[in-house]
Amino acid sequence: MHRPVRFADDIEPLVQFIEETDPSRILEDTLAKLRDGLSVKKVLTASALAVTRSSDLPPGHHGGPLHPLVGIHALHHTVERVAGEQRFLPILQHVALSNKHINHPNMGPYILADAEPLDSGGVEATKKAFFACVDRGLYNGADRHFLWLWDHIPHGEALDLLLTVAIPKNTLDDHYFIFPMFTWRALDWLGREYTPFLMRPAVRYVSRFPTPPVLSPIEALLEEYELLRRPLGFHTSPEETPAIGALGEAITGCDNYQEIPRMLAKALAEGLSLQGTGEALSIGAAGLFMRSLTGNPMDVHLHTGVNLRRYLLKLEGVSLRNKLLALLTWHTGPEVRSTQNRMEPPPQPNPDAVAALPHRTQSALLDALEESIYTQPATDWSKVTNLGQMRAVPEVKNTVNLAQQYANLGYDPEVLISRLASIVVHDNFTEMHAFKHHQATFEEFHATRLPWRWRHLVSAAQASAISYGKNMEVYEEAIELLHD
C-alpha cells in the first residue's frame, strides 16, 4: 500500500502543524512560533511541503498547491521590505492560504503518495515514456517518470524537458508556464534538495489533459528569421538602448498582440541581443498594462510572464529553442490576451492629467498616493458576474497619475517600493497575485534602463489600487494579533 511522503525529522513536525492545525487557530499559533524565533525560511518551507503533500489540484488553476508554491519567490522578498513585526504578515498570509487549501472540501482530504520513481530503460527511454504519458494525459505516470529523471539528468535539462510541454500549453492557460517556472524560482531560495518533491505538482499539472497545441505560427517565425541557425548575442549593452526603446514603444502601442512575436523575431534577426529583446518586451508589457482598463486584480501576468521569461533566458540547461519559444509566446496566455480587449490609446497615463497635479514634496506625494489607494471605492460584488471582465473604476487613474508624477519628479524609488510593499501585505483575495506583481515590478524596475524603468513602479501602483480592499480578512485578523 502506498504511504505519504515523510520529511526529515527537523521539518516533519512543522509540516504536520500546518496540515493539522484548525483554520480558526492557524494565524495565532503560527505567529507564536515566529515570535519565538522560528525562521521565515523554515516556516515557508514547511508551508510549501504541507500544501504539496495534503492538497489536491482541482481541474482549473485555482486551489491546491499551485498559487502557494508560485507565490513563495515574491513573498519571501516582500518580507525584506516590510518593517517591524509587519514582516510577519506575508508569512501569515502564506500559511493561512496553505492551511485553507488543505482543509477545503474541493481540495482534500488528499495525500500525495511516496511514489516509486519509474525507469523505462535509461534516460532517453524514460523521456520518451514521459512524453507518451503527456499524450494520454497520464499525470501519475508522468510524475513517476520525472521522479526518476531528477536523479539521473541535470536539473536544468529536466526543466527544459518539462518546458517542452509547458510552453505550448501557455496558449491554453498562463499557469502552464508560470507554475513550473515560479516553483523553480522558489527552489533557488528554499534549496534544490526539495526539487523532486516540490516540482511534482507542476509536473502533474503540466502533463494532464489537454495535450499541448502545435505552435505553427511561432515555429514558422523561428524558421523565417533563421533564429536557430544564426548566431544570437546574449548580453545587452548601452549601444542597444535606441533599438530596445524603439521596440518597447512599438509593443506599447500595439493593439493586436498577434503582431508582437514578429516584432521580437525581426529584432533578434537584426542583431538585438536576447537580453535586449527581453528588456524591450518588459518595457512594452508595462506600457500595455498601463493602457489596460482591467479591474481584475489577478490580471498581472503581463508583468509576471515577462519577468519569468527574462529569468529563463539566464538559466543553464534550457535550450535556445525553448528560450525563444517562451519569448515569442508571451502574449498567448488567456489572461494576457484578454487585456487587449480593454485598452486605452497611448500614452498612458495621460501626460496632461499628470501635469495638472499640484506640486508636492516626496513625503506629501507618497501620502497622497497611499490615500488614493486606501480610498478606492468598494466593489459591489452583487454586480460582478465574471471576474475576468471587471473594469477598473475611474479612481484608479488618480493613483496612476500620482505615481507618474512621483516618477517625473525623480523622487526616491526605494521609498515608493517600500510603501507599496506595506500595502501589498493587506491582500488575501488574489492568492499571491498581488505579491507576485509587486516583486515582478521591483525586479523589472532594477533590470530596465532609463528612461523606461519607472513604468514598472507606476504599474505597481496601478495594480495596488486595483487589488486593495477586495478581501483582507487574513490581514485584519493578523493585525489584531500583532497588536495584542
Side-chain angles (χ1 to χ4, degrees):
M1 197 64 186
H2 291 296
R3 296 170 299 178
V5 176
R6 184 174 176 87
F7 304 109
D9 290 345
D10 66 333
I11 194 76
E12 176 66 28
L14 189 57
V15 175
Q16 291 183 17
F17 159 78
I18 293 169
E19 291 170 331
E20 298 170 5
T21 300
D22 188 279
S24 66
R25 292 201 52 82
I26 191 66
L27 291 179
E28 184 175 357
D29 291 357
T30 303
L31 178 59
K33 291 180 180 295
L34 290 167
R35 281 175 163 168
D36 284 345
L38 191 61
S39 75
V40 166
K41 188 170 186 176
K42 192 158 188 178
V43 174
L44 283 180
T45 300
S47 187
L49 296 175
V51 78
T52 297
R53 181 167 73 180
S54 297
S55 178
D56 196 11
L57 282 163
H61 63 246
H62 281 291
L66 196 158
H67 286 115
L69 292 180
V70 163
I72 286 175
H73 168 73
L75 192 138
H76 86 82
H77 282 293
T78 305
V79 170
E80 300 167 1
R81 292 191 283 275
V82 184
E85 279 204 329
Q86 292 220 346
R87 73 188 186 280
F88 294 150
L89 289 170
I91 314 307
L92 295 174
Q93 292 277 13
H94 194 277
V95 171
L97 181 60
S98 294
N99 179 267
K100 172 186 173 182
H101 285 193
I102 290 166
N103 287 280
H104 198 285
N106 293 340
M107 302 161 227
Y110 176 80
I111 292 292
L112 185 60
D114 189 7
E116 186 73 22
L118 194 56
D119 175 12
S120 290
V123 169
E124 293 308 314
T126 305
K127 287 182 180 180
K128 185 176 180 180
F130 164 73
F131 284 120
C133 288
V134 170
D135 288 341
R136 299 171 64 191
L138 302 175
Y139 53 85
N140 281 316
D143 178 18
R144 292 183 64 191
H145 288 303
F146 239 89
L147 283 173
W148 188 87
L149 288 169
W150 289 122
D151 289 335
H152 292 86
I153 63 175
H155 283 184
E157 184 181 337
L159 177 65
D160 188 54
L161 182 72
L162 188 60
L163 290 175
T164 302
V165 179
I167 291 171
K169 291 179 80 168
N170 187 86
T171 63
L172 307 174
D173 189 318
D174 311 66
H175 295 82
Y176 281 113
F177 177 75
I178 285 170
F179 190 6
M181 286 306 305
F182 264 130
T183 303
W184 192 262
R185 294 202 75 177
L187 289 159
D188 285 343
W189 179 67
L190 293 174
R192 286 288 156 200
E193 65 271 23
Y194 294 112
T195 297
F197 181 72
L198 288 182
M199 287 295 290
R200 287 183 70 184
V203 171
R204 295 165 69 85
Y205 179 81
V206 166
S207 57
R208 67 188 187 178
F209 274 136
T211 54
V214 178
L215 297 176
S216 300
I218 305 299
E219 298 277 4
L221 287 175
L222 295 184
E223 185 65 27
E224 178 182 349
Y225 289 97
E226 301 181 335
L227 296 181
L228 293 173
R229 295 193 295 273
R230 69 171 70 243
L232 298 177
F234 177 76
H235 296 286
T236 188
S237 67
E239 286 70 31
E240 288 192 332
T241 297
I244 289 170
L247 179 56
E249 295 293 359
I251 295 170
T252 296
C254 182
D255 293 320
N256 179 5
Y257 290 5
Q258 298 296 327
E259 299 170 0
I260 295 174
R262 182 171 292 277
M263 295 180 192
L264 300 174
K266 184 172 182 290
L268 285 164
E270 291 176 351
L272 191 61
S273 67
L274 284 163
Q275 279 192 336
T277 304
E279 185 175 349
L281 182 58
S282 174
I283 292 167
L288 290 170
F289 183 80
M290 289 190 292
R291 287 182 59 195
S292 171
L293 285 166
T294 181
N296 179 3
M298 298 187 203
D299 278 348
V300 300
H301 297 308
L302 287 92
H303 262 103
T304 58
V306 76
N307 176 246
L308 281 174
R309 283 161 172 83
R310 294 185 77 183
Y311 168 81
L312 179 65
L313 290 176
K314 297 180 287 188
L315 282 185
E316 294 183 7
V318 177
S319 64
L320 175 62
R321 177 185 179 81
N322 275 339
K323 290 177 179 180
L324 289 170
L325 287 176
L327 274 180
L328 271 56
T329 55
W330 165 83
H331 71 294
T332 63
E335 293 188 35
V336 172
R337 285 201 315 269
S338 69
T339 60
Q340 72 178 334
N341 302 320
R342 290 163 288 173
M343 302 288 280
E344 292 184 295
Q348 294 297 330
N350 186 307
D352 294 335
V354 176
L357 293 172
H359 180 83
R360 292 180 174 91
T361 64
Q362 175 176 297
S363 177
L365 186 50
L366 277 172
D367 290 343
L369 193 155
E370 183 178 62
E371 183 182 8
S372 75
I373 293 173
Y374 286 159
T375 57
Q376 290 290 311
T379 301
D380 182 354
W381 292 109
S382 68
K383 297 180 180 178
V384 178
T385 57
N386 187 324
L387 186 64
Q389 294 180 3
M390 284 182 68
R391 290 192 171 231
V393 295
E395 288 81 359
V396 168
K397 286 295 182 186
N398 298 337
T399 301
V400 175
N401 292 339
L402 289 166
Q404 186 62 57
Q405 183 186 38
Y406 190 97
N408 293 348
L409 292 170
Y411 288 153
D412 188 342
E414 301 303 328
V415 177
L416 174 59
I417 290 166
S418 295
R419 187 70 65 96
L420 291 173
S422 69
I423 296 170
V424 164
V425 300
H426 289 71
D427 174 74
N428 60 271
F429 177 79
T430 68
E431 294 199 338
M432 305 283 132
H433 282 71
F435 288 94
K436 287 185 294 179
H437 190 266
H438 173 73
Q439 180 62 23
T441 53
F442 170 84
E443 292 179 12
E444 292 306 300
F445 172 81
H446 286 288
T448 302
R449 66 198 71 197
L450 290 169
W452 299 282
R453 61 171 44 177
W454 275 96
R455 289 186 178 191
H456 298 295
L457 297 192
V458 177
S459 296
Q462 178 176 329
S464 292
I466 291 169
S467 65
Y468 179 79
K470 295 294 187 290
N471 186 323
M472 303 190 299
E473 290 178 0
V474 172
Y475 171 83
E476 289 164 351
E477 182 182 345
I479 281 293
E480 287 189 14
L481 293 171
L482 288 175
H483 290 161
D484 285 348

